[in-house]
Amino acid sequence: MMAPRRARGRARLAVLASGGGSNLQALLDHLCARGAARAADVVVVVSDRAGAGALERARASGVAAEVVPPRQIGALLEEQRIDLVALAGYLRFIPDEVTARFRGRMVNVHPSLLPAFGGEGMYGARVHEAVIAAGVSITGATVHFVDTEYDAGPIIAQWPVPVLEGDSAATLGARVLRVEHALFPRIVDAIAGGRVALNEAGRVEPRPFGAGHSAFAIADTPETSLVADLAGLFDRSRAV
Ligand code: GRF
């Protein structure tokens, strides 16, 4: 098991973000709400862009905010004695040496059900435009461990989101983002607490929502009630 090192009881978490940082905010809010039960503290937020909204959010929460190019990230993580790294909308490639060092200790959130609609260049509105163009009826959010290839590391948890008639990339993206905000902080906290980890064989264990659910998270929220009620829905509508 590759559980994060636990210095002084809680994991030291770094969040890397290039954009507005709504996932960072969800993470900060979740950890704050967990209070003493939280397994991690965000000790630094790192961005490649000085104008990233994520940096403002960090400062507003009293968290150190740094702007560094990807090649300096390894040194910064070392210097800050970081146990766990969360990529929350970070758009740059992280050097392989850093990814390897943080194997099982670096997670990313992606706004689709990987491996569909992922890979280099698939970010932001592009993901949702591709989902709509493909005509699929279900998309979702994925949290996965980071590998040296974009969006290809071991999947930790996924959550479905329906694509609705008339959706634009903006409306669909907003629906997916709400799910990201629920899923990402919980998974980060679970990894920080050693409740979910990557084993030597490159498999995630134990699964965050129990073995029966594999990597697929079902919970009692409006976003997933459609899936939970699927059988009943079909019966009622006599669609098939
Ligand atoms: C999210 O959709 C995330 O899945 C993707 O980039 C977006 C970041 O949004 N990796 P925000 O900056 O957290 O608001």
Side-chain angles (χ1 to χ4, degrees):
M1 293 274 222
M2 299 202 174
R5 279 172 280 145
R6 302 286 300 279
R8 291 197 304 272
R10 279 202 280 270
R12 291 174 62 80
L13 173 63
V15 180
L16 274 53
S18 301
S22 70
N23 276 289
L24 162 69
Q25 192 65 57
L27 191 51
L28 289 167
D29 293 348
H30 182 75
L31 295 177
C32 181
R34 295 260 295 146
R38 72 189 182 279
D41 287 314
V42 180
V43 295
V44 64
V45 171
V46 183
S47 187
D48 53 314
R49 293 180 45 234
L55 296 171
E56 268 315 301
R57 293 182 191 267
R59 291 184 195 110
S61 290
V63 173
E66 304 274 355
V67 181
V68 301
R71 65 175 188 286
Q72 286 174 17
I73 283 178
L76 187 139
L77 299 179
E78 187 72 52
E79 192 183 292
Q80 294 279 339
R81 294 172 288 113
I82 295 302
D83 302 309
L84 180 64
V85 181
L87 307 188
Y90 187 69
L91 298 178
R92 303 286 293 273
F93 192 77
I94 301 197
D96 286 356
E97 162 272 308
V98 179
T99 307
R101 179 147 51 92
F102 280 87
R103 183 174 182 275
R105 299 188 293 134
M106 187 183 287
V107 289
N108 182 45
V109 58
H110 184 82
S112 75
L113 294 177
L114 290 174
F117 308 106
E120 195 163 358
M122 270 294 194
Y123 60 85
R126 291 188 198 185
V127 177
H128 307 300
E129 279 158 10
V131 164
I132 291 167
V136 298
S137 52
I138 298 280
T139 183
T142 300
V143 180
H144 65 96
F145 283 115
V146 175
D147 220 328
T148 48
E149 239 178 282
Y150 272 111
D151 300 331
I155 290 171
I156 306 164
Q158 296 183 300
W159 198 300
V161 174
V163 182
L164 302 179
E165 196 67 34
D167 258 338
S168 62
T171 59
L172 181 57
R175 195 176 307 122
V176 172
L177 205 52
R178 285 203 299 279
V179 168
E180 293 180 49
H181 294 166
L183 188 62
F184 190 48
R186 288 171 172 80
I187 298 299
V188 170
D189 190 58
I191 294 166
R195 303 192 298 281
V196 173
L198 189 66
N199 69 17
E200 293 298 338
R203 307 283 302 175
V204 177
E205 68 170 15
R207 290 291 191 183
F209 296 90
H213 286 126
S214 183
F216 196 65
I218 302 286
D220 187 19
T221 73
E223 283 80 10
T224 54
S225 60
L226 181 70
V227 176
D229 288 348
L230 197 61
L233 189 72
F234 271 97
D235 287 349
R236 281 196 300 281
S237 68
R238 307 222 177 274
V240 286

